[in-house]
Amino acid sequence: MMLALVAVMGAQEPATATPQDPATSLQIGDRTTTPAEEATNGFQPQPQTAADPNKPASTILPAPPSPEAVAEAKRQFKAGARLKASDKTEAAFEKFEQASQLDPRNLEYVTAREFARQQLVMEALGRGNKAMQAKNEVAATAEFRQALEYDPTNEFARQRLNDSVWESNAPPSRTLQVVQKSVEVYLSPSLEPKDFQFRGEARTLLTQVAKAYGITATIDDSVQARRVHFDIEKVDFATAMEAATRVTRTFWIALSGSQMYVVADTVENRRNFERLAIRTFYLSDVSSPQELADMVNALRVILDIRFVSQNLQQSTITIRAPLAVVEAASRLIESLAGGRPQLTLDVRVYQISSSLVQQLGTQWPNQFTMFNISPALIASLGAGASDLINQLIASGGINQANSTAIQALIAQLQQSTQNSLLSTPFATFGGGLTLTGVSWTPPLTVNLRVNESDVHNLEHVTLLASQNTPAVLKIGERYPIVNATFAPIYNSSAISKVLGNQSYVAPFPSFNFEDLGLNMKATPMIHSNTDVSLKIEVNIRSLGGQSVNGIPIILNREYTGSITLKNGESGVVAGLISKADSHSLSGYPFLGRVPVASYASSVHDKNENDDELLIVMTPYITRMASSAGFAVQLPMGH
C-alpha cells in the first residue's frame, strides 16, 4: 500500500529528511527519528483553490531598514554593477539579491535583481534548447532545471523541462502485458504543507492530522489509546500520515476521495481490512508450461502471495494481493520473463566435392585359344561344306597356304551353323591334318579417357535462439525405410479366389522416415560479458552401398561438443575431410613396370575422390538479460 503514493502523485517529489534538518524531523518523546519517503497507497493530490480575483489583497510594507543595512545594501549593489559590466551575470545576481534583501524598499535594487534573473533564465533556456537539438537530453534537463531555479514561476521553463525528461512511468514491457486490473480508490488530500506540535492521545492525533488536509478519518476500536508526542514541520499529507501511523502503530485504508479508515497494524487486521487488488499478466515470451509454473512458485515463495493462479492455454498469471504487493509482483515477473536473452546464429555450411577418373594405356590380347582344323571340324559345319572346299582348292580359288581365305570361308560357313568356336577371329598355321587355328580375346584397344568433376555447395542459414533453448537445423532429405510388410498367413476359399483373379491388394507396409543429410542442434548460453557458449550436436547421415534383407544401411557420422565465442566472432564448429584414392594396372607381366613401355603395354586406371565439409557459426546477440536491479517497498506486515 505504501508504494503507490509516488506513482499517483506524479510530479511531486518524495519528501526526504536528514537528522540535521529540524524542519522535517519527528520527535517522539526523547528520541528523534526521520520520516520515511513518500510511499503510501490510496490518495491523489487535488489542485489548490485559486484565489478570488475580486477580493482585494492586503499589502504589508516591510519595516524601514537600519542605516547599517542601507550602507551594506549600497555596497553590494555597486559590487553587483561592476560584475554586471564584466558579463558576470550570475555573481551580479547574487549581489543584487543581497542588496534587495537588505533594503527591500529600494526599487532600483529590486529592478536590477529581476533584470539579472531574467537574463540568467534566457541564457539557461538557450543552452538547453541547443542541447535538445544535439540530442543531449541530460544536459538539456540540467539547463532547464537551472532556469526554473532562477525563476520558479516561469511556465515556459517548466514546460521545456517536462519535454526534456523521460516519462515518469516506465514504458510497457514487450513481454509482460497487463490484460485485467481492478479499480483502485484514492484519497484527494490538500497539497499545502502543514506543521504539527501535538501532545496527547493517539486516536486524536490521527483525526487531527487527517482533518488538516481535508480528510475525514474513522478510527477503529482496535487502535490503542496511548499518549504520544508528535512534532513535525512543513510536511505534506504522505509524510505526515506515514509518521503518524508509525507513532501510533496503525495503518489506513482509503474509503473514498475524502474518507479513510484507520486500524491497528496487526497481521490479522492486515488480512481483514487491507484492500486487495486483482491484476492479470499476459506473458508472451513463455515457451513451456514449466516456465509458467516456476514463476508462480517464485511469487508464492518470495512475496508470500496466497491468491495466485495460472492459465496454461492463455499464458496468463492472475494475482490478488495488496496493491503494493501486486506492483512488486509486476516488477518481479518482468525481471524473470522480460529479460530472456536471445541471439541469432549465422550458420554457413561449406561442402566441396571433387572426383577424377583416368584411364590411360594400351590393352593387348591376354587370352589365346588354339584348336585343330581337321576334316571332322569341317564336316561339323554342315552338309556340302567339304565338297565346296575341295572344289575351291581344285580350281585354285584357295590353297592351304592362304589362311586368310580359309578363315573367311569358314567364318561364312559358321554364320549358318552358329559354331561358337569359330565366332571370333583366329589365325591358322600348319597344313593337312595339322592345320591349327589360334584365336585371342580381347582385341587390341587403346584407352585415352579422363573424367574430372568439381562440386561446390554453400548453405547459409540464420537461426533465432533464446537462452537454453535448442535451435535445430536439418539439411537433406527424409528417406522412407520399410519396417514390415503384411501377407495372409493362412489360406481360405475367399483368399484363393482373390489371388486367382489377381484382385488381392496387399496391406500398406509399415515404414518410418530417416533424416539424411546434415542434422544440427545448438543450445546457446549467453553470459553477462557477451560471451556465448554453444552446446552443439552434429550428425551426417547418408545411404550406404549395401543392404540387409532389402533394408539399406545408413552411414552415420556424429559430433558432440561445446564452443565459446564472442559476440560477432566466427568459429569453425566442425570440419570433415574424406579422401579416397585408387590406382590399378592391367597388362603383361614385367612389361607394365618398364617406364618406357608401361603405357604401351598396359592400362593404368586412376580414381580419386575428395570431400570436404565445413560448418562455421557466428552468434549475434539481439537481446541481453536485464542487469538493472530494482527495489520495492512493501507495507508493514508483509
Side-chain angles (χ1 to χ4, degrees), residues 169-179 281-286 295 329-340 623-624 626:
N169 295 330
S173 174
R174 189 161 55 90
T175 57
L176 179 64
Q177 301 178 14
V178 178
V179 297
F281 303 94
Y282 168 67
L283 306 174
S284 61
D285 200 30
V286 175
M295 291 183 187
S330 176
R331 301 288 299 275
L332 180 60
I333 293 175
E334 186 172 359
S335 66
L336 295 177
R340 189 180 183 87
R623 186 174 67 187
M624 285 289 295
S626 177

Side-chain angles (χ1 to χ4, degrees), residues 362-365 440-446 588 600:
T362 304
Q363 183 177 7
W364 293 86
W440 59 86
T441 55
L444 178 65
T445 305
V446 178
Y588 292 113

Side-chain angles (χ1 to χ4, degrees), residues 515 517 519 538-542 553-558:
D515 293 323
N519 302 317
V538 179
N539 66 70
I540 303 173
R541 312 182 73 185
S542 61
I553 296 177
I554 297 178
L555 304 180
N556 188 34
R557 288 171 286 184
E558 293 186 358

Side-chain angles (χ1 to χ4, degrees), residues 67-136:
E68 293 81 3
V70 173
E72 180 65 23
K74 186 176 182 180
R75 185 167 56 252
Q76 294 292 338
F77 177 76
K78 291 182 178 179
R82 290 192 298 268
L83 293 173
K84 185 70 170 59
S86 302
D87 293 334
K88 298 179 179 179
T89 309
E90 187 172 0
F93 172 73
E94 295 178 358
K95 297 297 183 180
F96 294 152
E97 178 72 19
Q98 294 177 7
S100 61
Q101 290 178 357
L102 292 173
D103 189 0
R105 293 191 174 190
N106 194 319
L107 297 180
E108 184 180 5
Y109 299 165
V110 176
T111 303
R113 180 194 65 186
E114 294 303 321
F115 270 106
R117 185 197 305 275
Q118 295 304 319
Q119 183 177 356
L120 290 174
V121 171
M122 295 304 295
E123 291 177 355
L125 290 176
R127 293 191 299 268
N129 291 331
K130 291 182 180 180
M132 286 290 290
Q133 294 177 359
K135 306 298 183 181
N136 190 353

Side-chain angles (χ1 to χ4, degrees), residues 285-344:
D285 200 30
V286 175
S287 59
S288 63
Q290 183 62 35
E291 294 185 12
L292 200 64
D294 292 341
M295 291 183 187
V296 171
N297 294 333
L299 293 174
R300 288 174 175 169
V301 173
I302 297 177
L303 299 178
D304 193 21
I305 300 178
R306 295 181 298 166
F307 305 105
V308 55
S309 62
Q310 58 180 338
N311 191 325
L312 300 179
Q313 289 74 19
Q314 299 181 2
S315 297
T316 59
I317 295 178
T318 302
I319 297 174
R320 184 164 68 95
L323 183 59
V325 179
V326 172
E327 294 292 343
S330 176
R331 301 288 299 275
L332 180 60
I333 293 175
E334 186 172 359
S335 66
L336 295 177
R340 189 180 183 87
Q342 288 184 350
L343 57 80
T344 57

